[in-house]
Amino acid sequence: MFFVPLLDAAGTQASSSQTLMSVVPFILIIAIFYFFIIRPQNKKQKETQKMIDALKKGDKVVTIGGIHGIVSQTKEKTVIVKVDESTKIEFNRSAIAGVVNDAPAKSEKNEKSEKTESIEKKAAESFDSEKAE
């Protein structure tokens, strides 16, 4: 008679651990969604908003529709983009996809020559160290 309440208590503990084990996969799935989907999306959205807020006259921009131009005037909610010498179009700020950088990109030829130079430099250093011994 003394063992009956103990057995009931043990059964209750087993069912609560089973419940916990059935909830753990859902918690893991929610964590995976947060770290791989929700968090990066929020980060990108903040960066885009920061870029839109920082638009100024003279920035080269690309719209969502693919129109390239230069910002000629900014307003509270809109931006006037100069597309041609005599053509200006007014866009919502949210229609700007990005600001274009004019920094010249390294060509593949330059990258290859830099890699070759670094390899040659390392080879010469190793040759000099062997020669010194």
Side-chain angles (χ1 to χ4, degrees):
M1 294 225 201
F2 178 70
F3 296 111
V4 173
L6 291 176
L7 292 174
D8 285 342
T12 307
Q13 287 177 351
S15 79
S16 67
S17 68
Q18 287 178 348
T19 305
L20 179 65
M21 291 305 291
S22 65
V23 172
V24 168
F26 290 113
I27 293 171
L28 289 174
I29 290 171
I30 290 170
I32 289 170
F33 268 94
Y34 175 75
F35 284 109
F36 288 111
I37 296 173
I38 297 170
R39 189 168 174 234
Q41 183 179 7
N42 287 343
K43 188 175 180 181
K44 184 172 180 167
Q45 191 175 21
K46 285 180 184 177
E47 289 174 2
T48 303
Q49 186 62 41
K50 190 175 180 182
M51 180 266 309
I52 288 173
D53 291 339
L55 283 175
K56 62 186 181 298
K57 185 177 179 178
D59 285 346
K60 292 185 178 182
V61 296
V62 179
T63 65
I64 292 173
I67 298 173
H68 292 252
I70 299 172
V71 175
S72 66
Q73 186 179 0
T74 59
K75 297 181 181 178
E76 186 177 333
K77 293 185 179 183
T78 61
V79 175
I80 297 176
V81 178
K82 185 177 179 182
V83 180
D84 195 13
E85 294 300 321
S86 61
T87 308
K88 293 182 181 180
I89 305 173
E90 187 170 1
F91 291 100
N92 286 338
R93 284 184 178 258
S94 61
I96 304 297
V99 177
V100 178
N101 293 334
D102 284 338
K106 288 185 177 180
S107 66
E108 290 181 25
K109 190 175 185 179
N110 288 343
E111 290 177 7
K112 287 180 183 177
S113 65
E114 287 177 4
K115 288 179 183 178
T116 306
E117 288 175 8
S118 66
I119 291 171
E120 289 173 353
K121 188 175 181 181
K122 287 179 184 177
E125 289 174 357
S126 65
F127 179 72
D128 289 340
S129 65
E130 289 176 6
K131 196 176 182 182
E133 293 175 358

